[in-house]
Amino acid sequence: MRLNGEVALVTGGAAGMGRAIVDRFVAEGARVAVLDRSAAGLDALREAHGDSIVGVEGDVRELESHKEAVAQCVETFGKLDTLVGNAGVWDYSTALVDIPEDRIVEAFDEMFSINVKGYLLGVKAGLEALYASKGNVIFTVSNAGFYTAGGGALYTGAKHAVVGMIKQLAYELGPHIRVNGIAPGGIGGSDLRGLRTLGLADTSISTVPLGEMLTDILPTGRMATAEEYTGAYVFFATRAEIQPLTGSVLNYDGGMGVRGFTEANRGDLLDQHFKMGATA
Ligand SMILES: NC(=O)c1ccc[n+]([C@@H]2O[C@H](COP(=O)([O-])OP(=O)(O)OC[C@H]3O[C@@H](n4cnc5c(N)ncnc54)[C@H](O)[C@@H]3O)[C@@H](O)[C@H]2O)c1
């Protein structure tokens, strides 16, 4: 139990990556507050974890929602050690040319208000509690925080902005509060939704054959599940092991960035070599 006695607040903790983080943090001994707009998702969390979690229904675009979540977290569990900014939406890789002129301003505002402002407001609301606990912040980024084609310009721009915020906040808030990011690639088990402005609010990423697509792309050979991503969140939240860690973002994407010009290496080279009885 590597997070015994720790208290976390996770935004978007009612589904996908956030839900897996909550499940893992509780299993590691933490108590967790969750801010999410899904009442049904929060009910399911309460059913699964009882007194180990407190669920707050709200919208990450509103400062008041974050303040309420922090207040309930501190009231219930006495403190806040780790804030995980995680709630997000996707643009389903909509190209600029396909975003209608009469919706682009609203689409931009929707993307940045959830994926960027939603993270910043969480830190603003949690600042005093995090200062008191000498705590830390973890933002879920994405491969789109580094590379193209993991989204359209709206999503890629927003995730790059998150990387910038991590660096600036790590600088501003140190040495009291650490700020880091984790950048997953495709997440198995996610229910990631699209922008309402583009008519994608009810579209789930589970309808995209992401697993198949990534098999040909990732040097690790397959997309990871949400559960398989949680180890890094535990590590980043573990006080004893992160003395030198702030302002960093972990590329946690199956090696997307090292593939470069080619398809993924499917292991043929080493298979052919060693299956023929050769030695290194
Ligand atoms: N799914 C992927 O393949 C993938 C890949 C890389 C990064 N990410 C990132 O992971 C994070 C989590 O996404 P996910 O894939 O788990 O999606 P998800 O839809 O499965 O979970 C997101 C949760 O956030 C909540 N949420 C969304 N907007 C909200 C708002 N305005 N206010 C409050 N709650 C809100 C939803 O209700 C949901 O419970 C996001 O930041 C996303 O950009 C996802």
Side-chain angles (χ1 to χ4, degrees):
M1 302 255 270
R2 298 170 70 199
L3 299 179
N4 241 341
E6 301 286 327
V7 174
L9 167 54
V10 180
T11 72
M17 192 61 240
R19 171 68 199 250
I21 295 166
V22 177
D23 292 347
R24 178 75 189 267
F25 275 25
V26 170
E28 295 284 353
R31 288 164 298 160
V32 186
V34 177
L35 171 61
D36 202 291
R37 64 182 171 189
S38 166
L42 291 172
D43 284 344
L45 266 176
R46 287 184 197 103
E47 208 163 295
H49 296 303
D51 290 346
S52 295
I53 77 125
V54 59
V56 179
E57 190 180 338
D59 192 317
V60 294
R61 290 171 282 194
E62 306 295 335
L63 181 60
E64 282 312 312
S65 291
H66 291 281
K67 286 171 78 168
E68 177 64 22
V70 171
Q72 287 207 35
C73 177
V74 173
E75 198 180 301
T76 313
F77 301 132
K79 58 175 182 162
L80 170 62
D81 298 300
T82 297
L83 169 69
V84 183
N86 170 78
V89 291
W90 196 27
D91 61 3
Y92 281 78
S93 297
T94 308
L96 182 62
V97 72
D98 293 325
I99 303 175
E101 223 175 65
D102 61 356
R103 281 190 237 153
I104 187 161
V105 171
E106 211 184 316
F108 179 93
D109 289 347
E110 186 183 1
M111 174 59 75
F112 275 70
S113 67
I114 296 175
N115 287 19
V116 184
K117 187 170 75 178
Y119 283 9
L120 191 66
L121 295 183
V123 182
K124 183 72 179 165
L127 215 44
E128 196 177 339
L130 290 165
Y131 173 76
S133 68
K134 298 278 182 260
N136 72 93
V137 175
I138 305 167
F139 286 155
T140 298
V141 189
S142 163
N143 49 288
F146 295 88
Y147 316 121
T148 60
L154 295 177
Y155 188 75
T156 305
K159 289 299 185 182
H160 273 66
V162 170
V163 173
M165 260 181 352
I166 288 167
K167 294 177 187 171
Q168 179 63 29
L169 292 176
Y171 167 69
E172 275 184 32
L173 306 183
H176 305 288
I177 302 166
R178 293 153 199 284
V179 184
N180 294 290
I182 293 167
I187 299 171
S190 158
D191 186 35
L192 190 62
R193 301 301 175 99
L195 293 172
R196 182 168 300 283
T197 314
L198 299 182
L200 296 167
D202 296 324
T203 305
S204 167
I205 199 170
S206 59
T207 60
V208 177
L210 210 54
E212 262 166 62
M213 288 158 58
L214 288 174
T215 300
D216 290 332
I217 288 176
L218 299 179
T220 51
R222 70 165 173 84
M223 178 168 78
T225 64
E227 291 71 27
E228 288 172 320
Y229 280 110
T230 57
Y233 289 84
V234 173
F235 170 67
F236 275 52
T238 307
R239 286 176 184 273
E241 297 185 62
I242 59 161
Q243 171 49 32
L245 188 69
T246 198
S248 71
V249 185
L250 177 65
N251 292 111
Y252 208 36
D253 56 17
M256 226 175 264
V258 303
R259 187 178 57 90
F261 207 55
T262 62
E263 283 198 349
N265 171 6
R266 306 291 292 276
D268 299 349
L269 185 64
L270 292 190
D271 280 348
Q272 277 169 19
H273 188 80
F274 289 117
K275 282 183 181 160
M276 286 168 66
T279 57

